[in-house]
Amino acid sequence: MCGITGYKGKRNASEIVIKGLKKLEYRGYDSWGIAIKTDNHLNVIKRIGKIGDVSSKELKLKKSSFGIAHTRWATTGKVTQENAHPHLSMDNKIAVVHNGIIENYQELKKFLTKQGFKFRSETDTEVIPQFIQYFMDKGNSFNDAVINTIKKLEGRFAIVAINKDYDTMIGARRGSPLVLGVGKDEFFLASDIPAFLEYTKDVIFLDDNEIVFINSKTEIRNFQTNKKVEKKTEKIDWDAKEAEKGSFPHFMLKEILEQKESIARAVNQDLDEIKRIAKLINDAFGVFIVGCGTAGKVCHTATYLFSRIADKHVNFSFSSEFPNYQHFLTDKTLMIAVSQSGETADTLEAIEAAKKKGVKVLSIVNVYGSSMTRISDYNIYVKSGPEKCVASTKVTTGQLAILTMLAYACAGKLEEGTKLIKQTITDINKTINDSYLKKIKSLAEKIRDNESMYIIGRGLNYPIALESAIKLQEVSYIHAEGFAGGELKHGPLALIDNKTPCIALVANDETKADILSNAEEVKSRAGLIIGVAPENNPAFDYWLEVPDSGNCSPIVNIIPVQLLAYYLSTLKGIDPDYPKNLAKCVSVK
Ligand code: AGP
């Protein structure tokens, strides 16, 4: 969480970093700030809220070739102007933007306070510029002071630092992402590529413990060993337009509708590689699948997919809970880590814990070059393109499609699996049209004032009921809960009244009769039933038709719920792309 960016080159730095911040806003949007170096002076501006439509002109910043910026998702310290980044050293010469958490900041702050340093914020970040000043006061050059400072930091960080008296911009990372964009006589640093994609597609992914010094040229070193590191420049095959909203009112709607193509891209993989990975899964002595939030629900669904398609037991754990299973791990275990961003701290830590036990790791990730892909043994990219809305939609179905394909490959039926997924894509294309969207919008109008909603599913669709609840909570702020249909009678039925819509996720499989009777149980207690199903049924007050897609029912059933969540959100005046209190990429524990 938090987006950082920096620019050094021939263009106007304030324009570039402000544009970059707007592209990174999905990473956090509590407050923002920039520091521009002009005539040996640092101009710093900080504001609470989203950067929104602010332009560099309005900020009346002088032209400069050098600047850094930050968009914040508060962790340490409240949402205040003082806590917004960049943070400055006491002598106001050094400015730093930071993404991550400095775990030992209190101890460092205590030390600096004893040395006479005064702090202006409650953040962990402020110790960084202050320590850089501390080392410079002791005679270090700027470069050495930054190295000595980051060696003191515990936790995860990506930082960019500038000094009013130096022409060097410095970036460093451990555990949080930092990408270097390489243009002609200009350089960009950012948490994510879209921040500078319109200027260059040539990037260098910094790895953990690497520091880059940017002048007229760049030099990358390992800050632990101080050895120079030669890195490959990679060409990014992304279209800058993919990261734009275009004519859509929100990224969420754009990304939901993109699923028509993104699922096809997800399964357009090297099939020999998929077979090789399926063999790894089959040969492993124990398979764990881990993820957080929506990615966690995808993992949970995968346990059903592997069980029913490949007779394979796969253990699911939320990444944050995974360390509790360490005792079961051996060097023959395989971990499958699922993530959109590839930067989620809980999942990174689960991978690190597994690797300590010699476990091999396969990551299924959307963001190219992200931390997870750099520490995993095998990677499958979801290829959804940038997903900007905080609520995951197109990446969810891409991940589900890949895991369905893997389950079929494990069963030696890859062809059957890919045929089913391709048919599902065709059917989704036929289903989602303007009248379908209108129907869901008018349903949203009817239920927008309800305070609670429940979602039930069985088998493959039980985790999808849980995921549906996440979607509704995230963007509509309605209290939504998902249940296994069979569990209703063991408690949750007591919550049902005539003000409680209940979504029943139905698949045309062996769970159909039971989930329909669960829907009846709710209906007979005055609940309003919204059936997401291939066929209408007397139990439904509203029917949202989905294709009859067999083992792809999780993919087709989540889409109308995503749309319902979207319309509920916009009808309630919420911006679904930036829900309150959340950030797209959760890089803290
Ligand atoms: C998705 O809608 C949520 N915003 C959230 O639960 C997300 O899935 C979770 O934080 C994991 O993120 P990742 O996929 O980037 O690892």
Side-chain angles (χ1 to χ4, degrees):
M1 47 223 11
C2 298
I4 61 177
T5 185
Y7 174 78
K8 186 162 177 4
K10 53 194 186 271
R11 300 178 214 247
N12 185 1
S14 56
E15 252 170 50
I16 306 277
V17 294
I18 284 172
K19 262 195 184 174
L21 273 199
K22 291 180 185 176
K23 303 270 165 55
L24 293 178
E25 220 168 15
Y26 71 93
R27 301 179 66 87
Y29 35 86
D30 292 337
S31 55
W32 60 272
I34 68 174
I36 299 293
K37 178 170 131 74
T38 42
D39 315 324
N40 283 4
H41 177 75
L42 294 180
N43 290 294
V44 180
I45 294 177
K46 301 185 190 199
R47 299 270 161 86
I48 289 176
K50 284 174 67 189
I51 189 159
D53 295 327
V54 169
S55 71
S56 62
K57 252 195 199 149
E58 276 167 65
L59 297 174
K60 298 198 176 69
L61 284 165
K62 279 197 197 158
K63 230 176 154 219
S64 151
S65 58
F66 206 167
I68 58 175
H70 184 274
T71 181
R72 180 169 188 242
W73 186 86
T75 49
T76 312
K78 290 186 279 295
V79 181
T80 62
Q81 194 150 314
E82 293 72 34
N83 290 338
H85 300 215
H87 288 285
L88 300 181
S89 54
M90 201 169 67
D91 61 8
N92 293 326
K93 289 185 178 177
I94 300 147
V96 170
V97 287
H98 161 227
N99 169 31
I101 295 247
I102 308 303
E103 285 164 5
N104 60 338
Y105 86 98
Q106 277 170 336
E107 184 194 311
L108 301 179
K109 195 167 175 174
K110 218 178 192 175
F111 171 83
L112 288 165
T113 309
K114 272 197 192 144
Q115 308 302 309
F117 280 80
K118 298 264 179 303
F119 283 78
R120 290 174 266 212
S121 79
E122 304 160 323
T123 64
D124 51 345
T125 305
E126 201 180 351
V127 298
I128 305 173
Q130 301 278 47
F131 242 110
I132 299 173
Q133 180 188 332
Y134 168 82
F135 282 116
M136 293 191 76
D137 289 349
K138 293 220 165 307
N140 276 194
S141 66
F142 179 41
N143 292 10
D144 288 345
V146 174
I147 291 184
N148 286 328
T149 299
I150 55 185
K151 278 182 171 170
K152 289 203 162 288
L153 307 180
E154 285 169 18
R156 295 180 180 276
F157 60 82
I159 61 155
V160 186
I162 56 175
N163 183 319
K164 80 173 191 61
D165 298 326
Y166 284 73
D167 256 351
T168 313
M169 176 162 74
I170 304 179
R173 68 158 279 181
R174 183 173 65 215
S176 296
L178 193 60
V179 194
L180 172 67
V182 184
K184 192 168 179 307
D185 303 325
E186 60 182 350
F187 299 98
F188 307 79
L189 277 171
S191 305
D192 197 0
I193 299 163
F196 54 73
L197 191 59
E198 70 176 277
Y199 307 105
T200 182
K201 291 186 175 173
D202 292 330
V203 306
I204 293 176
F205 293 100
L206 293 185
D207 283 299
D208 279 351
N209 299 328
E210 287 179 352
I211 184 163
V212 57
F213 303 99
I214 303 172
N215 247 300
S216 50
K217 286 199 178 122
T218 62
E219 184 181 287
I220 300 175
R221 289 188 173 271
N222 179 305
F223 59 73
Q224 297 293 5
T225 61
N226 202 26
K227 283 207 178 109
K228 221 172 145 177
V229 188
E230 293 305 332
K231 306 274 296 186
K232 221 175 66 204
T233 306
E234 300 180 41
K235 237 268 173 286
I236 293 300
D237 179 24
W238 284 2
D239 182 351
K241 283 207 189 92
E242 272 192 276
E244 304 288 344
K245 260 194 306 214
S247 56
F248 288 91
H250 299 102
F251 279 111
M252 184 170 185
L253 184 61
K254 175 181 181 252
E255 288 161 6
I256 293 173
L257 299 180
E258 273 174 7
Q259 290 177 102
K260 296 172 176 180
E261 300 94 40
S262 59
I263 304 170
R265 284 204 301 271
V267 292
N268 184 14
Q269 304 281 347
D270 174 348
L271 295 186
D272 289 332
E273 183 61 12
I274 293 294
K275 283 182 193 156
R276 267 194 295 278
I277 289 174
K279 186 168 178 335
L280 287 173
I281 298 173
N282 281 335
D283 292 350
F285 184 67
V287 179
F288 273 92
I289 185 160
V290 300
C292 303
T294 291
K297 304 299 178 258
V298 168
C299 295
H300 192 173
T301 312
T303 63
Y304 288 86
L305 289 166
F306 279 100
S307 164
R308 57 189 287 130
I309 299 170
D311 293 331
K312 178 109 208 132
H313 175 65
V314 170
N315 300 282
F316 158 63
S317 166
F318 283 120
S319 309
S320 54
E321 289 296 317
F322 177 76
N324 300 306
Y325 293 101
Q326 285 186 47
H327 329 281
F328 303 124
L329 306 176
T330 72
D331 58 2
K332 297 196 175 45
T333 315
L334 179 79
M335 172 189 263
I336 306 176
V338 179
S339 174
Q340 187 289 127
S341 61
E343 301 293 348
T344 303
D346 287 331
T347 307
L348 282 169
E349 294 215 359
I351 294 176
E352 282 157 13
K355 294 212 83 153
K356 278 195 191 133
K357 295 267 184 158
V359 172
K360 290 269 181 286
V361 179
L362 158 69
S363 280
I364 300 177
V365 170
N366 189 46
V367 176
Y368 188 76
S370 55
S371 299
M372 263 174 231
T373 68
R374 308 187 83 70
I375 58 172
S376 299
D377 301 283
Y378 313 93
N379 289 306
I380 300 179
Y381 283 101
V382 189
K383 301 195 269 190
S384 301
E387 189 183 65
K388 302 295 279 296
C389 176
V390 166
S392 179
T393 53
K394 61 176 178 174
V395 175
T396 309
T397 48
Q399 290 164 338
L400 285 168
I402 289 171
L403 284 156
T404 307
M405 186 161 83
L406 278 176
Y408 274 101
C410 285
K413 297 178 185 166
L414 182 54
E415 230 172 82
E416 187 186 319
T418 44
K419 201 170 150 209
L420 170 70
I421 297 165
K422 281 186 185 150
Q423 185 57 49
T424 303
I425 297 165
T426 310
D427 295 342
I428 289 172
N429 274 299
K430 282 190 206 142
T431 312
I432 302 180
N433 52 34
D434 284 351
S435 71
Y436 195 69
L437 301 191
K438 267 193 203 139
K439 189 174 176 188
I440 296 181
K441 190 173 178 190
S442 74
L443 170 61
E445 273 157 5
K446 290 197 174 83
I447 62 172
R448 58 185 278 183
D449 294 325
N450 287 91
E451 280 171 14
S452 295
M453 266 180 93
Y454 301 109
I455 309 96
I456 55 171
R458 279 177 176 257
L460 280 173
N461 281 283
Y462 162 48
I464 297 303
L466 303 179
E467 164 54 12
S468 301
I470 294 191
K471 277 301 85 76
L472 290 158
Q473 292 159 0
E474 272 185 303
V475 301
S476 75
Y477 307 162
I478 290 178
H479 163 238
E481 280 189 67
F483 298 110
E487 281 298 297
L488 274 183
K489 56 187 176 294
H490 299 292
L493 259 187
L495 299 170
I496 302 295
D497 60 26
N498 62 358
K499 294 190 204 76
T500 327
C502 174
I503 302 177
L505 302 174
V506 183
N508 197 9
D509 61 16
E510 70 286 354
T511 63
K512 181 177 164 186
D514 286 339
I515 195 72
L516 288 172
S517 42
N518 295 142
E520 289 283 6
E521 283 161 20
V522 176
K523 199 180 165 80
S524 57
R525 280 150 185 97
L528 176 111
I529 301 294
I530 301 158
V532 173
E535 278 172 4
N536 203 350
N537 188 278
F540 304 155
D541 297 292
Y542 293 94
W543 175 43
L544 299 179
E545 186 178 359
V546 289
D548 185 354
S549 302
N551 287 327
C552 285
S553 73
I555 298 176
V556 298
N557 282 358
I558 193 59
I559 296 175
V561 185
Q562 294 170 345
L563 284 164
L564 184 62
Y566 170 74
Y567 286 119
L568 282 167
S569 176
T570 51
L571 285 168
K572 293 175 85 177
I574 298 165
D575 182 344
D577 292 341
Y578 302 104
K580 68 174 184 314
N581 304 336
L582 299 179
K584 180 77 180 156
C585 168
V586 188
S587 54
V588 292
K589 278 216 282 179

